[in-house]
Amino acid sequence: MAEEKMDFRAEDKEILVKIVKLAQAYQIKGAKGDWKEFLRVRDGKLGSSLNDPSKRSWDVLADFVKTFTAEEDVELVIRLLKWNKRSKSWQSRMKRVLDKASPKQELVLLTFQHPKFSKCYTFPSYQKGWLTTKLGKLPEASGAETMIAIDCEMVQCEDGTKEVVKVCVVNENLETLVDSLVKPSKHVVDYMTSITGVTSEDLDDVTCSLQDIQKTLKRLLKKETILVGHSLFNDLQALRVDHARVIDTAFIFRYLNKPTCYSPSLSKLCKVVLGCDLREEGKSHVCLDDAIAAMRLTLAKLELGVNDPIDMGESEVSEADLSKLYIHNIPGCISMEDLMNLFPKEYSVEIQMQYVQEFSRIKNKSSTTFAIFKSSEDANGAFEILNGILEKDSYGHPQKRVWFHKRGSKKGANINVRVRKMNVVDEEAPTSQLHGCSIDPIVTRNTSSDISNNISKYDTEETFHKQKKTKYDKNTNQENMMQNVLEKECNGCIHLEEKERLKKELEQRNAEIKSLQRIVAALTRKHGL
């Protein structure tokens, strides 16, 4: 029976690669052992295909997957196949709906076409514990769809993940459908009360679980229902809900003088589009108000025809925020001590952990933090001295990519973080996370007269030179790959917005390559290489 369900074809190679990688991560073994043992028995050839299953043909991958005998392993494969089929089906429907879309469907389509959609809305809903709603047929009559808006508050748990603590849902008439506290299933280390407004005492008599909320949402999310929210993917990830028809208010507006991927905060959108403040400055979130705000923004887009680009202006940054440096894309192998050592010892600096995003366990955890200095002058000075490659983030703001040399690590040159000055508010993190949060510093360093040399992050200047040369070669290959992707657009493989995004990214890579060329040339002259 299992073999009948696991009937693969050549076009299934992409999902087969994913299944094999999952098998490696979860240490799944079949009747012929794990992936390595299977290859050794099959043909004795290991090579690079051991770590990169995509280098094997689809039939070899399929033969390995068919050796799975454990019931839970076979179930995982079946769930992945359904997940893959559902994902492809929805993508196909979105491409067909363009010419006959209703106004609400157009907003679903706008969300789907956003350059961040595939990254943000690809959920591991093949895992157990997820609620995956049915697709159904797209309503043909305009206005036949219904909309509900949702917002959640999350708390920080002991294992570094976040869990839902409150859920609110409203309909198009702004009537409350759900307003419920939720009991987290894990031990909570930070209720983030300054943001959520929830304390441990509030949960003393709460019995509602995440599973109870999922049952409620299953009743509300019909086939024709469109789910609305701001940065909705965060809520869906925490709720463990995969619903295809979504309108994300962070994705559906266009902005003057901002890149396509720009995502303003909900508060700022309310002020600019609706002409009102979402909440008083410094006040904690009100979950119900946020759900209502997302619905009002969507209705404004539909009813008032807010189609022209919006001038969001520049965010005002307080002196307290200007004394910080924003550090992001921090891999799990980097410690707070490593981050402290980024900056010369002449500066007094605190490192604060801000929030950790949850990823599936086949991926490394990536986190963000702030380096807090005594003044904005110190922050600027530390950034200028910081040894790294100057580049631009996804919003076009200058930042530095800084590499670590971790002793004992063969891939030390590839371990890096990004550091950006706070001369602009980071829109991806709520403003309330930038100031007003009570987060204790994890590491503090007092001022020292011992000024470390910038090159001391690396063992020697020769090592530094080799690392930059490796990075230059890598980026040259990336440039060629991006150019190939852009050429495929002529065959209809990529829509126009994606093409523009790739062009901008290619320009950024070119600038980085030129910078690396100058560094390599200078070091070559210096060392006579």
Side-chain angles (χ1 to χ4, degrees):
M1 184 67 179
E3 288 189 4
E4 292 179 7
K5 292 182 179 179
M6 294 195 292
D7 183 22
F8 302 106
R9 299 176 179 83
E11 56 266 28
D12 295 324
K13 181 174 180 178
E14 183 179 353
I15 191 61
L16 282 167
V17 170
K18 185 175 183 67
I19 293 173
V20 174
K21 287 183 177 180
L22 275 171
Q24 290 175 295
Y26 287 99
Q27 299 181 339
I28 294 176
K29 292 186 177 183
K32 297 181 180 179
D34 61 15
W35 175 239
K36 181 178 180 179
E37 293 166 338
F38 170 80
L39 292 179
R40 185 179 286 116
V41 171
R42 181 183 175 90
D43 52 25
K45 296 179 181 179
L46 298 179
S48 58
S49 62
L50 179 61
N51 296 321
D52 186 2
S54 64
K55 293 185 178 180
R56 285 283 185 164
S57 62
W58 74 270
D59 54 322
V60 174
L61 300 171
D63 287 346
F64 170 64
V65 174
K66 288 179 180 179
T67 67
F68 293 178
T69 55
E71 184 178 350
E72 62 271 21
D73 297 337
V74 175
E75 286 180 359
L76 176 62
V77 173
I78 301 304
R79 290 198 303 270
L80 270 164
L81 292 175
K82 291 180 179 178
W83 173 83
N84 186 57
K85 182 178 180 181
R86 180 179 183 274
S87 177
K88 288 186 175 181
S89 175
W90 183 246
Q91 291 178 21
S92 176
R93 293 183 191 195
M94 283 291 96
K95 291 176 182 178
R96 294 198 307 267
V97 78
L98 184 61
D99 296 331
K100 55 180 181 180
S102 68
K104 292 177 183 178
Q105 289 173 2
E106 286 181 359
L107 296 190
V108 174
L109 189 61
L110 271 178
T111 300
F112 177 79
Q113 290 176 330
H114 194 276
K116 287 185 177 180
F117 181 86
S118 60
K119 177 181 179 180
C120 295
Y121 283 91
T122 301
F123 302 117
S125 53
Y126 50 82
Q127 296 177 349
K128 287 184 177 180
W130 276 77
L131 166 63
T132 302
T133 60
K134 295 181 179 180
L135 293 179
K137 294 182 179 179
L138 290 173
E140 296 182 3
S142 177
E145 314 92 333
T146 59
M147 297 191 302
I148 59 173
I150 192 169
D151 187 75
C152 302
E153 299 294 347
M154 274 78 83
V155 293
Q156 192 78 39
C157 296
E158 191 174 35
D159 62 355
T161 63
K162 290 185 178 182
E163 284 216 358
V164 174
V165 74
K166 190 169 186 179
V167 180
C168 290
V169 181
V170 299
N171 61 19
E172 293 179 54
N173 298 321
L174 308 183
E175 298 168 336
T176 303
L177 303 179
V178 178
D179 185 357
S180 177
L181 288 168
V182 183
K183 193 82 168 180
S185 62
K186 301 175 184 177
H187 177 65
V188 178
V189 294
D190 188 357
Y191 286 88
M192 299 189 286
T193 305
S194 60
I195 300 175
T196 65
V198 177
T199 65
S200 59
E201 292 77 14
D202 293 331
L203 301 178
D204 285 345
D205 299 324
V206 174
T207 59
C208 180
S209 66
L210 177 61
Q211 290 71 31
D212 294 327
I213 293 296
Q214 287 181 333
K215 290 177 183 177
T216 301
L217 291 176
K218 188 175 183 179
R219 291 195 298 268
L220 293 174
L221 293 173
K222 307 298 182 184
K223 295 177 181 179
E224 68 279 3
T225 303
I226 297 172
L227 191 58
V228 175
H230 188 82
S231 295
L232 180 60
F233 53 89
N234 289 322
D235 301 303
L236 294 179
Q237 177 72 49
L239 290 165
R240 300 177 75 82
V241 172
D242 192 348
H243 183 70
R245 289 188 177 86
V246 296
I247 295 175
D248 194 326
T249 52
F251 287 5
I252 61 176
F253 294 93
R254 293 186 297 128
Y255 312 102
L256 288 171
N257 305 319
K258 299 289 184 182
T260 307
C261 58
Y262 174 74
S263 299
S265 65
L266 182 61
S267 296
K268 192 163 188 179
L269 268 180
C270 286
K271 192 167 187 177
V272 174
V273 178
L274 303 178
C276 63
D277 291 324
L278 178 60
R279 64 180 63 87
E280 293 182 27
E281 187 174 353
K283 295 289 186 180
S284 60
H285 292 192
V286 178
C287 192
L288 186 60
D289 289 349
D290 289 1
I292 291 173
M295 181 60 77
R296 289 186 63 198
L297 285 167
T298 303
L299 294 174
K301 183 77 172 175
L302 289 169
E303 298 170 10
L304 304 179
V306 187
N307 294 317
D308 295 331
I310 301 169
D311 185 2
M312 301 298 290
E314 291 298 331
S315 302
E316 294 183 4
V317 186
S318 67
E319 177 61 29
D321 287 333
L322 288 173
S323 65
K324 302 175 184 178
L325 293 180
Y326 177 54
I327 311 175
H328 58 118
N329 289 97
I330 306 171
C333 60
I334 297 300
S335 67
M336 289 296 101
E337 185 179 356
D338 292 327
L339 295 178
M340 290 293 298
N341 291 332
L342 283 176
F343 308 106
K345 294 181 180 179
E346 63 184 278
Y347 293 104
S348 177
V349 60
E350 294 178 358
I351 300 292
Q352 290 186 338
M353 211 59 186
Q354 197 66 18
Y355 57 91
V356 179
Q357 296 178 338
E358 181 181 2
F359 291 87
S360 66
R361 54 179 173 154
I362 64 170
K363 297 180 181 179
N364 293 325
K365 286 185 177 180
S366 177
S367 59
T368 67
T369 188
F370 290 103
I372 304 176
F373 298 83
K374 285 186 174 180
S375 66
S376 58
E377 290 77 11
D378 280 2
N380 288 331
F383 181 82
E384 295 304 324
I385 295 176
L386 193 61
N387 194 11
I389 298 298
L390 188 65
E391 58 183 21
K392 291 183 178 181
D393 66 8
S394 57
Y395 294 100
H397 304 144
Q399 66 179 5
K400 284 187 177 180
R401 187 185 304 189
V402 185
W403 280 268
F404 288 85
H405 180 71
K406 301 283 286 184
R407 295 184 182 277
S409 173
K410 295 181 180 180
K411 297 183 179 181
N414 294 326
I415 301 174
N416 60 82
V417 300
R418 272 81 164 180
V419 182
R420 175 167 68 72
K421 290 194 289 186
M422 293 299 298
N423 52 353
V424 288
V425 172
D426 181 51
E427 292 286 5
E428 289 186 318
T431 305
S432 57
Q433 289 187 333
L434 305 183
H435 41 74
C437 294
S438 56
I439 303 175
D440 296 327
I442 295 176
V443 181
T444 304
R445 183 175 67 204
N446 295 324
T447 304
S448 171
S449 57
D450 181 18
I451 303 176
S452 62
N453 190 299
N454 292 330
I455 305 298
S456 66
K457 307 294 189 303
Y458 308 88
D459 285 345
T460 61
E461 285 190 337
E462 287 81 3
T463 302
F464 176 66
H465 174 204
K466 291 177 182 178
Q467 290 177 354
K468 296 305 176 188
K469 182 65 169 64
T470 301
K471 190 65 182 175
Y472 165 68
D473 293 338
K474 181 180 178 181
N475 278 275
T476 302
N477 292 334
Q478 288 178 335
E479 178 195 15
N480 295 333
M481 290 173 64
M482 286 184 188
Q483 190 62 46
N484 291 336
V485 172
L486 286 174
E487 290 173 357
K488 288 182 181 180
E489 193 277 335
C490 298
N491 297 322
C493 296
I494 301 175
H495 56 68
L496 184 59
E497 292 178 345
E498 182 71 3
K499 178 182 177 182
E500 292 301 317
R501 183 185 69 80
L502 288 170
K503 281 184 176 179
K504 290 180 181 179
E505 190 172 347
L506 181 59
E507 291 172 358
Q508 180 178 321
R509 292 294 186 189
N510 286 337
E512 184 177 337
I513 289 171
K514 290 180 181 179
S515 177
L516 287 166
Q517 286 174 326
R518 290 194 293 269
I519 292 174
V520 171
L523 289 171
T524 300
R525 289 193 299 270
K526 182 173 181 179
H527 296 285
L529 299 175

